[in-house]
């Protein structure tokens, strides 16, 4: 069994991805969630963390005069846990370049589209408006380019007749809950890493869309 991989999770809302990560933990999984931090005191994910016995912190962006000050406070708390990996799980803040560089290669995000398509917000509506035949979600390393870092893993599905935003949202969420814990586990096991050329799995450079799982 591998040594524990200390993880800190950043959230802003419901935390269903956090819950999927918590549910994936077990004796044969080296991942250990050390703390959950939210920029919103009312985030339901804080209750999920509390129920799992995970320490929580609230760092409210509205209490800081600028992004640099907020990110510095966030970084101070995160680094108290000496994390091997920091996860953005529905964390709705744009991070400063200095923060992102500090966690280079150990900062992952889950994004609700098939990157590099539909970076940013409103991804389900934009997939429908574009007439996409497929949709899905991506786990990627975070770099200074918003939603632009190397993709590790994607779940893809055919849109078919489910042409409402609600239907796509549910399908993407279900897919996220599969691929985020899987990518985190790969990282914790030392199988997934960021190299200068891109994301690598088991020593092999992944394509720009990452490892693909069709669901
Ligand atoms: C997810 O759809 C994720 O892709 C996006 O924010 C949402 C968070 O959902 N970045 P939850 O808080 O994990 O339920």
């Amino acid at each position: 069994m591998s040594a524990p991989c200390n993880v800190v999770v950043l959230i802003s809302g419901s935390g269903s991805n956090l819950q999927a990560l918590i549910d994936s933990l077990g004796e044969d999984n080296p991942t250990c969630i050390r703390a959950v931090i939210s920029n919103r005191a009312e985030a339901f994910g804080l209750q999920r963390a509390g129920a799992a016995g995970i320490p929580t912190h609230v760092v409210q962006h509205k209490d800081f005069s600028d992004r640099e000050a907020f990110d510095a406070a966030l970084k101070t708390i995160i680094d108290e846990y000496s994390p091997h990996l920091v996860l953005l799980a529905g964390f709705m803040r744009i991070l400063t370049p200095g923060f992102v560089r500090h966690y280079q290669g150990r900062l992952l995000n889950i994004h609700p589209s098939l990157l590099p398509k539909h970076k940013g917000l409103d991804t389900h509506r934009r997939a429908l408006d574009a007439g996409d035949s497929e949709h899905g979600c991506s786990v990627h390393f975070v770099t200074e380019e918003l939603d632009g870092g190397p993709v590790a893993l994607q779940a893809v599905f055919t849109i078919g007749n489910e042409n409402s935003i609600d239907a796509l949202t549910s399908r993407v969420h279900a897919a996220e809950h599969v691929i985020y814990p899987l990518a985190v586990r790969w990282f914790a096991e030392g199988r997934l890493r960021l190299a200068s050329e891109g994301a690598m799995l088991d020593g092999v450079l992944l394509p720009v869309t990452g490892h693909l799982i069709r669901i």
Side-chain angles (χ1 to χ4, degrees):
M1 158 131 182
S2 328
C5 175
N6 293 331
V7 176
V8 171
V9 185
L10 308 188
I11 62 165
S12 298
S14 158
S16 67
N17 279 284
L18 167 67
Q19 188 66 57
L21 290 159
I22 291 169
D23 293 344
S24 75
L25 303 179
E27 276 183 15
D28 66 337
N29 188 337
T31 308
C32 181
I33 303 177
R34 295 288 180 200
V36 171
I37 305 173
S38 174
N39 65 316
R40 293 182 198 276
E42 67 278 14
F44 182 63
L46 291 169
Q47 293 184 43
R48 298 182 192 268
I54 301 168
T56 59
H57 300 265
V58 175
V59 187
Q60 304 204 86
H61 58 274
K62 59 186 185 190
D63 294 341
F64 295 86
S65 53
D66 55 34
R67 282 188 196 280
E68 276 73 20
F70 171 70
D71 283 8
L74 201 56
K75 181 166 151 291
T76 299
I77 296 177
I78 294 171
D79 287 349
E80 281 170 15
Y81 294 93
S82 305
H84 301 98
L85 180 62
V86 178
L87 300 176
L88 307 181
F91 186 67
M92 302 303 286
R93 296 294 300 168
I94 292 174
L95 296 160
T96 54
F99 181 98
V100 171
R101 275 196 300 273
H102 180 71
Y103 297 105
Q104 169 99 18
R106 52 187 179 123
L107 185 57
L108 288 174
N109 182 40
I110 180 92
H111 182 78
S113 80
L114 297 173
L115 291 172
K117 272 187 165 180
H118 310 311
K119 296 175 181 175
L121 300 173
D122 279 336
T123 57
H124 311 310
R125 182 186 55 71
R126 285 160 59 207
L128 288 176
D129 288 353
D132 290 354
S133 58
E134 294 185 324
H135 192 40
C137 47
S138 310
V139 177
H140 67 95
F141 284 97
V142 176
T143 61
E144 290 172 48
E145 186 195 342
L146 183 66
D147 298 328
V151 177
L153 179 57
Q154 282 190 333
V156 59
F157 59 83
T158 303
I159 290 185
N161 296 327
E162 291 160 302
N163 54 0
S164 76
I165 291 178
D166 282 353
L168 286 192
T169 304
S170 313
R171 284 198 78 182
V172 166
H173 257 124
E176 288 179 347
H177 301 162
V178 173
I179 66 167
Y180 213 7
L182 182 58
V184 169
R185 188 183 178 119
W186 286 348
F187 186 95
E189 291 173 343
R191 298 180 57 193
L192 174 67
R193 69 183 177 91
L194 181 65
S196 52
E197 317 92 286
M200 297 190 83
L201 181 63
D202 296 330
V204 177
L205 185 65
L206 288 164
V208 284
T209 49
H211 182 88
L212 201 65
I213 292 181
R214 187 163 284 277
I215 53 172

